[in-house]
Amino acid sequence: MLIALLPGDGIGPEVIAQAVRVLDAAGCGLTFETAPVGGAAYKAAGHPLPASTLDLARRADAILFGAVGDPECDALERHLRPEQAILGLRKELGLFANLRPVKLFADLADASTLRPDVARGIDMVIVRELNGDVYFGEKAMRTTPEGLREGYDVMSYDEGEVRRIAHSGFQTARARRGKLCSVDKANVLETSQLWRDVVIEVAADYPDVALSHMYVDNAAMQIVRDPAQFDVIVTGNLFGDILSDLASMCAGSIGMLPSAALDTSSKGLYEPIHGSAPDIAGQGKANPLATILSAAMMLRYSLDMAEAADRIEAAVAGALASGARTPDLGGAMDTAAMGDAVIAAL
Ligand SMILES: NC(=O)c1ccc[n+]([C@@H]2O[C@H](COP(=O)([O-])OP(=O)(O)OC[C@H]3O[C@@H](n4cnc5c(N)ncnc54)[C@H](O)[C@@H]3O)[C@@H](O)[C@H]2O)c1
Ligand SMILES: CC(C)[C@H](C(=O)O)[C@@H](O)C(=O)O
Ligand SMILES: [Mg+2]
């Protein structure tokens, strides 16, 4: 099995290195090919997503992605910025369904920003649409007739885009506790009204799943008030981006949340939900567990290696149970030492 390794920028290479060590230690027998992406690729090749990197991503059985984003690239034109690489990969490969599991490991209740009794209820998946929404609508800067600068980004979804992510949401819920909460802003946005209408239509195919709807502002509050009420959330690209960072702190740290970006085939891109964290890059402070858990998702969803995925997830739980903590979790362990702890638990 060929894995495209795209470490990217900042802490990306640091966390990817630990995931590769864990995959090797688990005896997965994978072949890795590495390619530059993001700011690193811009600096080396003049483009954040070089054709050779996209080609590797297309050839590989799965993609393991670190993070992109480099403050030195902030002044570039938008199409050359590092973040375009991850947006481009998701779009070019048609990876529209982003599964972001939010789970509290048994030993991490003390790291959650919620009271431990509330935090213990967290076990949900955020199913985030990845190929549409305000991310991919027409966008530009222009000057108004009054001479004012104006920026705009068009938010849109067509019903086909909503229907396919709704199916992902219902199928994810069906395989879990059978509860799906669709999150939108239908009280204000036409995009969201269409979203809600189509989700209700798709629900007819899933009579075994209990569907509810929630406005996104309320959802943000409810996730921190009582996360146990959620099984699966399905939502659009922007709302899912924001809610998943918010939910991560309920589970202890943004360094804990993995993700899978999937199409309808077995191909997938796996990445932590966090970014390149320039504030801690190069200091060994990054928590690699989100990336290690992303690698486990890759084994499960793309490589048909569920047993190895289970072992890696159990090893993460074991490392945490043994007291392993990076600084984001209130400890002092460095990135490689956390990798060591997972390998020891394996
Ligand atoms: N998928 C991606 O590649 C992705 C995702 C989010 C942000 N970004 C990019 O990353 C750059 C930085 O963005 P940001 O600061 O808003 O978000 P970020 O997720 O990089 O960091 C937010 C905060 O969380 C901390 N953090 C993140 N990951 C951590 C980890 N594994 N262990 C410990 N602490 C961790 C950081 O130190 C920082 O304080 C930007 O260029 C942004 O566009 C990329
Ligand atoms: C870097 C950025 C484009 C990206 C997004 O908004 O999707 C990130 O925040 C994420 O969550 O993967
Ligand atoms: Mg994000």
Side-chain angles (χ1 to χ4, degrees), residues 83 87 90 100 128 135 241 273:
E83 291 82 351
L87 297 177
R90 292 168 180 167
R100 296 186 158 193
R128 170 192 177 197
Y135 277 63
D241 180 43
I273 76 152

Side-chain angles (χ1 to χ4, degrees), residues 9 22 49 137 170 194 206 217 224 232 241 244 256 281 290 305-306 315 317:
D9 306 319
V22 171
L49 182 56
F170 279 106
L194 177 80
Y206 302 87
D217 44 353
V224 294
V232 178
D241 180 43
S244 50
M256 291 302 302
M305 296 172 73

